[in-house]
Structure formats: C-alpha cells, structure tokens
Amino acid sequence: MLTGIEDQEAILKQMVKIGRNTEYGKEHGLANVNTYLEFRDAMPIRDYEQMRPYIDKIKAGKHNVLWKGRPIYFAKTSGTTSGVKYIPITKDSIPNHINTARNALLCYMTETGNTRFSDGKMIFLSGSPELERVGDIPTGRLSGIVNHHVPSYLRKNQLPSYTTNCIEDWETKLDNIVEETATKDMTLISGIPPWVQMYFDRLMEKTGKKIKEIFPNFSVLVYGGVNFEPYKAKLFDSIGQKIDSIETFPASEGFFAFQDSQQEEGLLLNTNSGIFFEFVPAGEIFNDNPTRLQLKDVKVGENYVLVISNNAGLWGYNVGDTVKFVSTQPYRVVVTGRIKHFISAFGEHVIGEEVEQALMKTADEEHVHITEFTVAPRVEDIDGKSYHEWFIEFENKPSNMTAFIEKLDAQMRAKNIYYDDLVSGNILQPLKITPVRKHGFIDYMKSIGKLGGQNKVPRLSNDRQIANELMKWVEN
C-alpha cells in the first residue's frame, strides 16, 4: 500500500507521460520534465480565464489539447468572475468523481457498522441530469452528470424521480421532491446545507412534524459545498436530534477530499485519484512568483490555496479554495474559504474561516440560531465612519442585540490582528449588523437566478454588490 506522498509522485509521473503528447504539454516542455521541480518550473499557475483559449479549441472540435483525445463531458459552472465555465471531465477523470463518493460511504459503514441506511430510500438534492451539447460534448452541472453514473445497486433506492430531477425551477422541483418523499422510508439525505434546510422546512410545513418523526430511519446526512457549522444547529433542530453526518469536498475540477472518520477532525485528502496537488501559502497567491509546495512539504495550521493538475487536462490550475491541514498522518484538511471571498478594504484581509468561527462561537454562547449571513465593507468618506456590515438572517434573534454585536466584534478582533489594529486605531468602527427578514436570502438568490442546486451565498465580499442587492430584503 502506497503512502500519500508516493501516490502523488506516481500520479505526477503518469500525468507528465500522457501530457507530453498534448498541445498544452508541448507548449510547456513536458517532454523535458522528469522531476517535480522541473514540472513546477515548466507549468505556470493558471486560472480559468487563462485556460479558456484551450477550452475553446476543445469546443471547436480539436483533439489532444489538454489531455489525450477529447473530454467525455463538460461540467458547466457559473463563476463569479469568469461567467460560465466549462470544466473538462475525461474518461480517466470520471472515476474520481464517482468512486470518491462511494469511498466516503464505505469508510462510514466500516467505522460505524451502520449499513442499514443502504436498504432505505436515499435522496441526492442535485442539479438537473439533462445535458446539452457544447462542441458536441455532453454538458451540464456536475451533480447532473454524476447522476448518470449512480451505481445500479443504489439506483433502485434513489429519489427523486428522473422527471422531478429534470425540473429547472428550484421551488417547483422542491415541491415535487416533498410530494415524492414525504411518505417514503428516507435513510440518507445529501445536498448543500442551505438547500437541505429548505427541503426540511417544506417537509415540516406539510406535515407539522420534525424530520426524524417523518423519517424514523433517517440516519446519515451527507453534505458539502459550504462550511457546515453555520447551518448545523438549525439542521439538527429540524431533524429533532443529532445524527451522523459525512462532509465531502467535491468540485467540478475534482473530488478533493472526504470525511473518512466520525471521530477525527478534517477531510482525508484524495491523494490517489488522478489529482496532483500543490499548495501555495494564501498570502502569496497574487505574487508573481509564489511559493509552491508539494504534499510532503506542507505544515499543519498553515492556510494554503489549492492548486491542482489532473487527468482531465487541468495543469497548475488555481481552484480558488483555501485549505488548512489538521493532520499529516494521514493528510487531512479543513476548507477555510475562497481566495475571492475576503474583505481587505482597509488592509485587514479578513477571511471566511474567521467570520464563520466568530459568528458561530457568539451565536452558540448567546443561544442564537443563524439561518444565513454575509459580510461586506461599508466605506464612508467621513473619517471614522467606515465599518464591516454583517447581513444576518436570524432564526431567533438575540435578546440583547447590542451585547451580541459587542461580543461578535470582540471575537473578530481576537481572530484577526489587522482588524483589531484598525478598530483600536479608530480607522474602523466596530462592526454593525443589518438583520435580513425571514427567507430574505432565499428571495435574494431567487432574484439572481441562483436558487438551489450547487449555488451558495458568498460569506464575504470586498465590495457592496451583494450588500446593495440585499438591502431589498432587510428588516424595516
């Protein structure tokens, strides 16, 4: 059995061997690459915009552009900076997406002994499995593509029906899902936490019961896409008790990690599944020549930007996610945020992990449940008036909002020394909270056409674009 480091060395060697014969590989001299250091020097870090010309060649029908042959799918994803992205999935890379989900469930079953859920009904709240063709390549949301590869032994227990899954309008689809599942023996439910919560809300409205009363054998919640902590209290309250949960870290570019233990912190990095990982210290990602580390060089507790090369033809690709290692034996990570999602309007560089931890700790101490939130800078021309504005939809409001704000601000100051300096220096005012009315975030997501599926609300913005839109749904 190979170690994670040996897995990574073998994957890089195999990928370079295949990549030498591609257009991209020839342009970047992969024929002369035999070591990681040579690979690092030959292969620049690229984002989607820099890869787009090669994707366009694939769309136009060219072969052997980024990987041998042509992709078998494009995963269509809407980026906040690049518009619609078309991420290649190849015959070589599709097992990464399918087998990792299976491995997460198998690890859970092995550790807990809970295999009963596999006999009941399972729901995967996902995008439509209907695919269009782009450059004659089947194209759709990743969750819809994966839906075509659900193993036959799970297919018989899978809900919702194909017809319901193909409904594009999320609220119509959700109503149909509720109708199809409310009387079934649901044992496993999977999806992005805010949309799982919306499903639970509709079920409870229909039946007047908690989820565990409706589905007494429901025992496993599988989730990914966002940090679970802000949604955890409300989800378990809706269920009526705490149940086992499995966190996953999938993306169109690859299934990077999954929770392999109910006892240990973090997600097991997928070191032997066609992906070669590099890690850039988060503070350096915008430098011209940032430090690039391979797996054997990472340290616990450091915040890294994830850079991947994979057997779908992405080379030195900046995924945009940041991770932190909590263990190197084995290699386990926690997802800490997105490099695009930060606030540094005044040099404070506040990141997603900090705002989530600060809010969850404050909410826990004050016995408050949070439905959803986002943070934006409020920049005023008058000195001393600028501040961070937190838009929060409360499930139950703090009994003393002033005390809640003071405690939250103290948490933020403890977590970010730059923010603390700015507040103590009277450059920033302490944060302010703007309460969002019930279902305000859902209405906002609906208004921009991003309700349901794989979409989620950014935790942080460095501008007021989201904040200004949300003003339509704040409490009066």
Side-chain angles (χ1 to χ4, degrees), residues 136-152:
D136 204 37
I137 293 173
T139 301
R141 300 289 179 189
L142 175 67
S143 57
I145 291 169
V146 169
N147 205 284
H148 290 273
H149 293 266
V150 173
S152 56

Side-chain angles (χ1 to χ4, degrees), residues 201 234 371 393-395 436-443 473 475:
D201 290 343
K234 188 180 179 187
T371 299
E393 182 180 335
F394 292 98
E395 175 73 9
V436 175
R437 64 170 172 75
K438 191 172 176 63
H439 302 312
F441 277 95
I442 287 173
D443 291 338
W473 291 282
E475 290 185 353

Side-chain angles (χ1 to χ4, degrees), residues 191-193 223-227 247-250 321 335 338 454 456:
I192 290 180
Y223 64 91
V226 296
N227 183 359
E247 183 177 1
T248 60
F249 183 17
D321 290 300
V335 183
R338 299 277 296 163
Q454 306 302 109
K456 48 253 184 192

Side-chain angles (χ1 to χ4, degrees), residues 144-274:
I145 291 169
V146 169
N147 205 284
H148 290 273
H149 293 266
V150 173
S152 56
Y153 63 87
L154 289 179
R155 181 78 70 184
K156 62 183 172 61
N157 290 341
Q158 183 189 2
L159 288 169
S161 65
Y162 187 86
T163 304
T164 292
N165 230 358
C166 290
I167 297 171
E168 286 293 343
D169 180 74
W170 172 246
E171 291 192 285
T172 306
K173 181 174 183 170
L174 196 55
D175 286 337
N176 282 39
I177 290 173
V178 168
E179 288 299 320
E180 287 186 3
T181 58
T183 59
K184 298 294 193 297
D185 180 23
M186 304 302 302
T187 53
L188 179 146
I189 296 170
S190 172
I192 290 180
W195 312 131
V196 172
Q197 184 63 60
M198 202 171 168
Y199 169 56
F200 286 173
D201 290 343
R202 294 284 173 96
L203 280 165
M204 290 189 293
E205 283 169 22
K206 179 181 172 66
T207 64
K209 298 176 180 178
K210 296 273 189 179
I211 303 305
K212 193 70 173 170
E213 294 176 79
I214 305 168
F215 307 135
N217 294 316
F218 173 38
S219 61
V220 188
L221 175 66
V222 182
Y223 64 91
V226 296
N227 183 359
F228 187 48
E229 289 304 314
Y231 305 97
K232 185 176 180 178
K234 188 180 179 187
L235 278 164
F236 284 142
D237 181 63
S238 300
I239 293 167
Q241 66 182 72
K242 191 177 184 304
I243 64 168
D244 289 343
S245 59
I246 304 172
E247 183 177 1
T248 60
F249 183 17
S252 299
E253 295 88 352
F255 206 138
F256 303 131
F258 62 93
Q259 182 180 348
D260 67 317
S261 171
Q262 297 289 301
Q263 312 302 322
E264 302 294 334
E265 181 188 8
L267 311 181
L268 187 69
L269 194 69
N270 214 353
T271 56
N272 61 345
S273 188

Side-chain angles (χ1 to χ4, degrees), residues 348-397:
E348 63 274 41
H349 207 87
V350 167
I351 62 171
E353 180 185 40
E354 292 165 345
V355 298
E356 288 177 335
Q357 289 182 354
L359 182 57
M360 290 312 103
K361 191 168 194 321
T362 306
D364 187 51
E365 290 176 2
E366 294 294 309
H367 308 291
V368 168
H369 287 178
I370 307 296
T371 299
E372 191 61 273
F373 77 98
T374 192
V375 189
R378 167 71 78 174
V379 183
E380 301 286 3
D381 294 332
I382 304 167
D383 287 346
K385 295 293 184 184
S386 298
Y387 54 88
H388 287 182
E389 185 172 14
W390 292 58
F391 292 81
I392 303 178
E393 182 180 335
F394 292 98
E395 175 73 9
N396 62 300
K397 272 199 174 166

Side-chain angles (χ1 to χ4, degrees), residues 66-116:
L66 292 169
W67 196 249
K68 62 184 178 185
R70 299 187 78 215
I72 57 172
Y73 297 107
F74 278 133
K76 185 178 179 181
T77 176
S78 53
T80 51
T81 55
S82 299
V84 177
K85 300 179 184 178
Y86 295 92
I87 306 297
I89 295 177
T90 63
K91 184 180 177 183
D92 292 324
S93 73
I94 192 71
N96 160 258
H97 295 280
I98 310 307
N99 295 346
T100 307
R102 176 203 66 195
N103 292 346
L105 291 177
L106 289 176
C107 283
Y108 168 78
M109 293 164 85
T110 301
E111 183 185 55
T112 66
N114 177 15
T115 59
R116 297 184 309 280

